[in-house]
Amino acid sequence: MTRAARGRRILLVGTFALLALSVNELVLHGVLVTDTLMRWFLFGAS
Amino acid sequence: MLDHMLGVIDEIPHAGLFLGVSLGVLALELAALIAGLWTRLRVRSGKGGRSLAGFSRAAGLGILAIPVVAGISLHAARATLIGALTATDPAARFAGVGVAIEAQLNIIPMADDLVILAVLLWSVALALARPAPGGTTALCAGLVGLGLAPLLVGVQQWGDRLAHAFAAVAGVDHDLKVTILGESLDRSRRQLESLAQICPRTIAGFGAVAVLLILLDRRREDPPARSGRGEMLAAGLAIVLAAALHFAARPLRAENELTRPAPPPVEPR
């Protein structure tokens, strides 16, 4: 495998890692909106 | 899981869309698995198997449809909840809020289960199709995606814990109910946040494994004179999608940090 091919594949891993970090952030905050709404209903101001 | 899904499906907004797309994705991943098996058998018998290996790898993209339809259903359930909270009639408010909370507590773990199942099927399909040349893009995506496992476990536990807490407070005195649910919400949130905080490390760890596999790969470039355009395209798409998801998460983060005015007081049932 050439250096360029290795470089491209390593770049690909890096970009997928960035994507996975964004998914982590979106899913966490998406789920926590439900938590926030339930707290608001139960206790008033969150 | 299917029994549970069918049992609660009526409580989910846009149930037909959610169920139809989810089952369609599972069928696609199953087809990818069969294609992977077909590819492996053809490679073993020396006939080659590249065309179906490509299908097995691309089928992973279909998994993205599950969180999208889950998001549509969740958005509708949250709109119902916000609408119910502004109702002046306490009975209507309780009924509306109950339905909306139940829907959300069903949608989130169900989508999580479906994604895990689809990813498992796709992983097997990838492993079977791997003897064919190429496949680095899918392998890298699969490995880095494994880093999200703590988040998937956290979401599952969050949903289970809250569903049990809501079931346990049925018929309990109002003040005690609020205390129990409050404690359960605190515990579930802490656990989910700590598992989500592990994810950057697991993503980095699996990413490092992927890089190591690339560095150790001594095979010839396949096919010859490959331009690598597909890999660069995949990298570009991943960056664009990552930026889009990051910006999509911003209003949700703001929502979670917002101090709202208190809703009308909750009357004991």
Side-chain angles (χ1 to χ4, degrees):
Chain A
M1 194 190 298
T2 62
R3 269 192 185 184
R6 279 214 181 93
R8 279 197 305 269
R9 288 173 188 188
I10 291 170
L11 174 73
L12 193 61
V13 171
T15 56
F16 281 153
L18 277 180
L19 180 59
L21 289 172
S22 300
V23 169
N24 186 41
E25 188 189 10
L26 181 70
V27 172
L28 172 68
H29 288 291
V31 171
L32 288 184
V33 169
T34 296
D35 172 282
T36 302
L37 289 172
M38 284 194 283
R39 280 171 198 273
W40 185 41
F41 175 63
L42 285 170
F43 312 117
S46 56
Chain B
M1 186 172 78
L2 191 62
D3 280 352
H4 174 71
M5 275 181 76
L6 292 175
V8 298
I9 201 72
D10 290 340
E11 296 155 14
I12 293 176
H14 307 301
L17 178 74
F18 181 73
L19 192 65
V21 170
S22 301
L23 292 179
V25 170
L26 289 182
L28 178 70
E29 302 313 320
L30 205 58
L33 193 151
I34 294 165
L37 187 64
W38 171 257
T39 302
R40 171 159 287 216
L41 291 174
R42 282 180 69 87
V43 168
R44 270 198 183 167
S45 61
K47 294 176 185 168
R50 189 161 173 76
S51 57
L52 286 181
F55 168 68
S56 294
R57 294 192 292 262
L61 281 175
I63 299 172
L64 296 175
I66 297 176
V68 170
V69 288
I72 292 169
S73 294
L74 266 180
H75 185 73
R78 283 172 185 163
T80 306
L81 176 62
I82 290 168
L85 283 172
T86 54
T88 46
D89 175 22
R93 196 187 322 158
F94 266 108
V97 168
V99 165
I101 287 179
E102 202 172 345
Q104 291 175 65
L105 288 181
N106 280 321
I107 296 165
I108 294 171
M110 212 185 280
D112 194 62
D113 276 344
L114 287 163
V115 167
I116 291 173
L117 185 58
V119 167
L120 285 176
L121 287 172
W122 185 54
S123 306
V124 177
L126 270 188
L128 287 170
R130 182 66 186 148
T136 311
T137 308
L139 187 69
C140 291
L143 265 177
V144 174
L146 277 179
L148 288 171
L151 177 73
L152 292 175
V153 171
V155 170
Q156 192 61 46
Q157 289 179 344
W158 176 89
D160 282 350
R161 199 184 281 263
L162 287 182
H164 283 124
F166 274 94
V169 294
V172 171
D173 169 67
H174 175 262
D175 290 341
L176 184 60
K177 185 187 284 188
V178 171
T179 307
I180 293 171
L181 288 177
E183 282 172 4
S184 188
L185 279 169
D186 284 343
R187 266 203 310 271
S188 312
R189 186 176 184 135
R190 268 199 306 274
Q191 193 176 28
L192 175 61
E193 283 176 333
S194 45
L195 283 167
Q197 280 164 8
I198 294 173
C199 277
R201 276 167 267 170
T202 50
I203 290 166
F206 281 109
V209 172
V211 169
L212 198 65
L213 287 177
I214 291 165
L215 293 176
L216 293 175
D217 191 352
R218 296 287 171 211
R219 288 177 310 165
R220 266 189 318 114
E221 183 73 350
D222 42 48
R226 185 182 159 118
S227 69
R229 202 191 309 172
E231 285 158 357
M232 295 309 287
L233 187 66
L237 281 176
I239 288 181
V240 170
L241 198 55
L245 295 183
H246 174 73
F247 285 111
R250 282 172 78 173
L252 301 176
R253 182 194 284 270
E255 176 91 0
N256 292 328
E257 289 166 358
L258 192 69
T259 302
R260 297 165 180 277
V266 177
E267 303 293 334
R269 282 184 118 163

